[in-house]
Amino acid sequence: MIKVEWLYWLVGLVFVVMAVQMAADRSNPRRWTSAAFWGLLGLAFPYGTGVANATAKNGGWTLPAEPLGVAVLALIVLAGFNFLGKGAPVTSTTEEREASATRLGSKIFIPALTVPLVAIVCASVLDTSGLFETGKATLLGLGVGCLVALVVGMLVTGERKLSVPLHSGRSMLEAMGSALLLPQLLAVLGSIFALAGVGTQVGKIVHDVLPDNSKYLAVLAYCVGMFLFTVIMGNAFAAFPVMTAAIGWPVLIQQMHGNPPAVLAIGMLAGFSGTLCTPMAANFNIVPATLLELKDQYGPIKTQIPTALPLLVCSTVIMAVFAF
Amino acid sequence: MIVLLGVVVVILGFVTRRNPVLVVGVAGVFTGLIGGMNPLEVLAAFGRSFADSRSVTVFAVVLPVIGLLERYGLREQARRLIGRLGGLSAGRFLTVYLLVRQVTAALGLTSIAGPAQTVRPLVAPMAEAAAERSTGAPLPERLREKVRSYAASADTVGVFFGEDCFIAIGSILLITGFVNSTYHQNLEPTQLALWAIPLAVCAFLIHGSRLLLLDRQLQREMALAAAEHDLPLPKGTKK
């Protein structure tokens, strides 16, 4: 059975190899600290296997979580105090690319489409075959798809050296910098907030402020609260336990007898509207901006706000009308 | 009450535009400590949740493939392909992409597309090419950025408001996991997925119509830019 942990080791390996390339890249003014950052991040992936085993108590070798915590803090320091640099991008000239596009024609799409096609096959056909760890078929499909696509890509383009894709990928990694790590750090912050009891505190405040038996105000408070808390935390998953413990469950469901699936599903989506509007949701808003080489890193957010606000209104109205 | 200072730290860092990585790190350590955890427990919490959230960084494995193909002219060829297709404007193309992204996400196929996998190598260059073909002139830098931002937004809105219609997605499992364990309920993922459909439809109608309006906006701004620089008007615009 192919395990999701193997995919994490592959990701770690890619980071470590790229870190070695960075250390050797004299065009990068901060090459040693950049290499330290990506190398440490790479090593954190296989180490995380041991930590995850210990948390889930699912057997296998276990490792203490504290050293990984130290590594994460080191990553935060390296990225937070601007120790990450970029080398000169390793790529081809516009003329070379035009020439090779003419030569290859639409064959160049084959490897690019291999990734989603393999992922689809893994998620649908092979999901029930027992080949993949339960519930991880799409994620593993992405990994398998990348490996297959790399082989197909090298065949189609006639590229012999494996260092070429690695160098090109490294340039994209350097362009993204610490934005790549932020989503994972926000997940960390969310769980620390939960452990420290932020949700219970918000609940107490809401309970004191909200007038009794006012259904519409409570719906509004839940949806807007999900929205705002997601904007702050960058992740609806972090906002959901907080706001649901505060208003969703005690007020809307227990006190006002709302339909639980409707209240909770729509509440989560009100949070998703918030994700569209915040730079804290780096993987959806800032990473695309850097990947697309936009000068204005808030470009995607500005485009999304006029969609997010009407959607927040829709969530509130749908919940108020259909959930009770 | 005092743990809410952690939220204040995040807001302050956000407002004063500090490095977000640093803000998150400081807020995490601070909240843990004032929440009554000892330093070792804070470190363990950092390590444990980092290990549990590794899946969000997995998309990095696609970078070498895309890097290789871009070196060999993937974006250039994507532009040419769209340039040849008649009748496809940037807005219509992105609306189709939004629909495809929503439907595939609703079937659980969230990892098949995304900013690194599809938007940078294929969707954005194709949208740009479609915009240039229908306005009949190369896009100025500002409008190019706009088209790229819309391409990114079509992907994000599509996946957000499609995935919740699928029962085995993270957000649905988070809801059932949290509610069933905290409040001793027996919520089924299918009931939740059903309630995500109305908003998926709203999202398609709202964002789809904004994408279609993008064409008219581009047309108008191109005409303005041409007038400012005293250049011939792009074809298809009226005086």
Side-chain angles (χ1 to χ4, degrees):
Chain A
M1 188 175 69
I2 299 175
K3 293 201 170 105
V4 74
E5 290 294 341
W6 300 356
L7 176 60
Y8 295 148
W9 299 346
L10 177 69
V11 177
L13 182 70
V14 171
F15 285 144
V16 169
V17 170
M18 288 182 179
V20 172
Q21 289 181 334
M22 278 179 211
D25 178 4
R26 288 176 187 282
S27 68
N28 182 348
R30 301 195 184 95
R31 60 184 172 129
W32 294 114
T33 43
S34 304
F37 177 85
W38 295 106
L40 193 57
L41 178 61
L43 294 176
F45 270 75
Y47 189 93
T49 305
V51 176
N53 283 344
T55 317
K57 299 191 178 65
N58 56 2
W61 41 284
T62 58
L63 288 166
E66 289 84 358
L68 186 57
V70 174
V72 174
L73 288 184
L75 291 173
I76 290 172
V77 168
L78 284 169
F81 292 103
N82 295 320
F83 283 116
L84 301 190
K86 284 177 208 170
V90 188
T91 185
S92 47
T93 64
T94 316
E95 292 75 30
E96 282 169 353
R97 284 200 293 272
E98 288 287 350
S100 112
T102 312
R103 179 171 63 89
L104 295 168
S106 286
K107 268 197 292 186
I108 191 129
F109 293 130
I110 298 172
L113 295 174
T114 303
V115 181
L117 280 178
V118 170
I120 291 177
V121 171
C122 291
S124 50
V125 184
L126 297 177
D127 189 20
T128 48
S129 68
L131 189 63
F132 300 112
E133 192 177 336
T134 320
K136 304 288 182 195
T138 335
L139 196 59
L140 282 168
L142 175 69
V144 176
C146 287
L147 289 177
V148 177
L150 190 59
V151 175
V152 175
M154 297 192 70
L155 289 174
V156 167
T157 58
E159 180 61 61
R160 299 282 171 86
K161 283 183 289 192
L162 191 60
S163 62
V164 169
L166 283 170
H167 274 298
S168 320
R170 174 170 62 95
S171 295
M172 291 166 80
L173 206 61
E174 287 175 340
M176 268 190 272
S178 61
L180 184 123
L181 190 64
L182 194 53
Q184 243 187 301
L185 291 180
L186 284 163
V188 172
L189 185 61
S191 71
I192 289 180
F193 271 25
L195 285 174
V198 174
T200 352
Q201 286 302 329
V202 174
K204 280 186 190 150
I205 294 176
V206 169
H207 196 79
D208 293 345
V209 172
L210 207 66
D212 281 344
N213 298 321
S214 154
K215 185 177 83 185
Y216 294 116
L217 268 182
V219 168
L220 194 68
Y222 186 46
C223 290
V224 175
M226 271 301 291
F227 178 88
L228 289 179
F229 218 80
T230 305
V231 168
I232 296 169
M233 298 293 293
N235 192 332
F237 291 10
F240 183 80
V242 174
M243 291 312 297
T244 303
I247 317 175
W249 193 266
V251 182
L252 288 174
I253 294 173
Q254 289 195 308
Q255 204 180 322
M256 318 239 167
H257 309 291
N259 174 14
V263 169
L264 301 170
I266 297 169
M268 179 65 101
L269 288 165
F272 282 14
S273 296
T275 320
L276 293 175
C277 305
T278 174
M280 296 303 271
N283 50 335
F284 296 111
N285 297 330
I286 306 293
V287 168
T290 52
L291 274 173
L292 294 171
E293 291 155 359
L294 299 182
K295 284 201 198 75
D296 178 8
Q297 62 164 342
Y298 299 128
I301 297 177
K302 287 178 188 158
T303 312
Q304 284 157 195
I305 289 175
T307 296
L309 295 180
L311 274 175
L312 177 62
V313 175
C314 292
S315 326
T316 316
V317 171
I318 292 175
M319 192 188 292
V321 175
F322 295 106
F324 295 91
Chain B
M1 204 57 151
I2 196 161
V3 291
L4 292 181
L5 287 174
V7 182
V8 176
V9 171
V10 179
I11 296 174
L12 279 181
F14 195 27
V15 171
T16 55
R17 295 195 168 197
R18 306 276 164 195
N19 183 314
V21 169
L22 206 56
V23 172
V24 172
V26 170
V29 173
F30 180 73
T31 310
L33 291 178
I34 59 169
M37 294 155 92
N38 69 41
L40 269 184
E41 285 171 338
V42 173
L43 282 180
F46 265 85
R48 221 170 279 136
S49 40
F50 185 87
D52 289 340
S53 60
R54 282 171 296 162
S55 64
V56 292
T57 310
V58 158
F59 74 92
V61 288
V62 84
L63 297 181
V65 180
I66 300 302
L68 171 73
L69 297 178
E70 285 192 352
R71 232 185 128 112
Y72 280 92
L74 180 65
R75 288 206 254 188
E76 285 71 12
Q77 186 62 27
R79 277 204 193 111
R80 285 186 203 181
L81 181 74
I82 284 291
R84 273 190 233 128
L85 295 175
L88 203 59
S89 63
R92 284 186 208 159
F93 169 70
L94 288 178
T95 311
V96 172
Y97 181 72
L98 172 70
L99 184 66
V100 171
R101 187 76 165 118
Q102 267 197 308
V103 170
T104 50
L107 299 173
L109 304 169
T110 47
S111 310
I112 63 163
Q117 296 99 307
T118 47
V119 179
R120 171 174 159 138
L122 298 169
V123 179
M126 285 180 166
E128 279 175 45
E132 290 184 344
R133 210 189 45 78
S134 52
T135 54
L139 294 176
E141 191 55 37
R142 202 175 57 80
L143 293 185
R144 189 176 297 281
E145 289 233 338
K146 186 169 206 156
V147 172
R148 288 184 184 180
S149 295
Y150 268 89
S153 74
D155 188 84
T156 308
V157 173
V159 70
F160 279 12
F161 292 90
E163 63 169 27
D164 263 23
C165 307
F166 181 66
I167 53 169
I169 204 71
S171 47
I172 295 284
L173 298 177
L174 178 94
I175 299 175
T176 50
F178 173 74
V179 173
N180 292 350
S181 64
T182 316
Y183 304 112
H184 311 290
Q185 299 290 307
N186 288 308
L187 280 187
E188 286 293 329
T190 36
Q191 301 169 292
L192 290 156
L194 218 56
W195 278 102
I197 295 173
L199 270 167
V201 174
C202 293
F204 180 72
L205 293 177
I206 293 171
H207 204 62
S209 38
R210 289 194 52 230
L211 289 170
L212 291 176
L213 286 176
L214 170 69
D215 287 333
R216 237 186 275 172
Q217 230 178 11
L218 288 175
Q219 205 65 263
R220 199 171 52 228
E221 297 208 20
M222 289 290 276
L224 265 178
E228 260 171 36
H229 298 97
D230 207 20
L231 296 169
L233 285 174
K235 68 176 182 193
T237 43
K238 293 185 188 108
K239 281 213 169 176

mmCIF file of all heavy atoms in Angstrom, chain B residues 5 28 100 102 190 209 227:
data_model
loop_
_atom_site.group_PDB
_atom_site.id
_atom_site.type_symbol
_atom_site.label_atom_id
_atom_site.label_comp_id
_atom_site.label_asym_id
_atom_site.label_seq_id
_atom_site.Cartn_x
_atom_site.Cartn_y
_atom_site.Cartn_z
ATOM 1 N N LEU B 5 -5.551 38.300 23.926
ATOM 2 C CA LEU B 5 -4.436 39.158 23.516
ATOM 3 C C LEU B 5 -3.689 38.551 22.324
ATOM 4 O O LEU B 5 -3.099 39.270 21.537
ATOM 5 C CB LEU B 5 -3.476 39.372 24.699
ATOM 6 C CG LEU B 5 -3.984 40.301 25.797
ATOM 7 C CD1 LEU B 5 -3.011 40.324 26.973
ATOM 8 C CD2 LEU B 5 -4.183 41.718 25.257
ATOM 9 N N GLY B 28 1.755 32.829 18.090
ATOM 10 C CA GLY B 28 1.654 31.448 18.559
ATOM 11 C C GLY B 28 2.348 31.250 19.893
ATOM 12 O O GLY B 28 1.764 30.703 20.837
ATOM 13 N N VAL B 100 -15.504 24.329 -14.635
ATOM 14 C CA VAL B 100 -14.770 23.057 -14.604
ATOM 15 C C VAL B 100 -14.142 22.851 -13.218
ATOM 16 O O VAL B 100 -14.219 21.768 -12.637
ATOM 17 C CB VAL B 100 -13.673 23.038 -15.691
ATOM 18 C CG1 VAL B 100 -12.767 21.827 -15.531
ATOM 19 C CG2 VAL B 100 -14.308 23.045 -17.074
ATOM 20 N N GLN B 102 -15.109 24.129 -10.347
ATOM 21 C CA GLN B 102 -16.140 23.861 -9.330
ATOM 22 C C GLN B 102 -16.640 22.422 -9.413
ATOM 23 O O GLN B 102 -16.778 21.748 -8.400
ATOM 24 C CB GLN B 102 -17.322 24.813 -9.526
ATOM 25 C CG GLN B 102 -17.221 26.075 -8.695
ATOM 26 C CD GLN B 102 -18.546 26.783 -8.578
ATOM 27 O OE1 GLN B 102 -19.191 27.054 -9.575
ATOM 28 N NE2 GLN B 102 -18.942 27.091 -7.368
ATOM 29 N N THR B 190 -22.847 13.626 4.196
ATOM 30 C CA THR B 190 -23.735 13.895 3.057
ATOM 31 C C THR B 190 -24.724 15.014 3.344
ATOM 32 O O THR B 190 -25.040 15.807 2.480
ATOM 33 C CB THR B 190 -24.525 12.629 2.678
ATOM 34 O OG1 THR B 190 -24.835 11.930 3.864
ATOM 35 C CG2 THR B 190 -23.734 11.745 1.756
ATOM 36 N N SER B 209 -20.568 35.991 -13.591
ATOM 37 C CA SER B 209 -20.992 37.220 -14.280
ATOM 38 C C SER B 209 -19.913 38.290 -14.191
ATOM 39 O O SER B 209 -19.725 39.069 -15.124
ATOM 40 C CB SER B 209 -22.337 37.726 -13.766
ATOM 41 O OG SER B 209 -22.433 37.548 -12.395
ATOM 42 N N ALA B 227 -6.677 55.935 -26.850
ATOM 43 C CA ALA B 227 -6.979 57.348 -27.041
ATOM 44 C C ALA B 227 -5.917 58.219 -26.378
ATOM 45 O O ALA B 227 -5.474 59.216 -26.938
ATOM 46 C CB ALA B 227 -8.356 57.655 -26.455
#
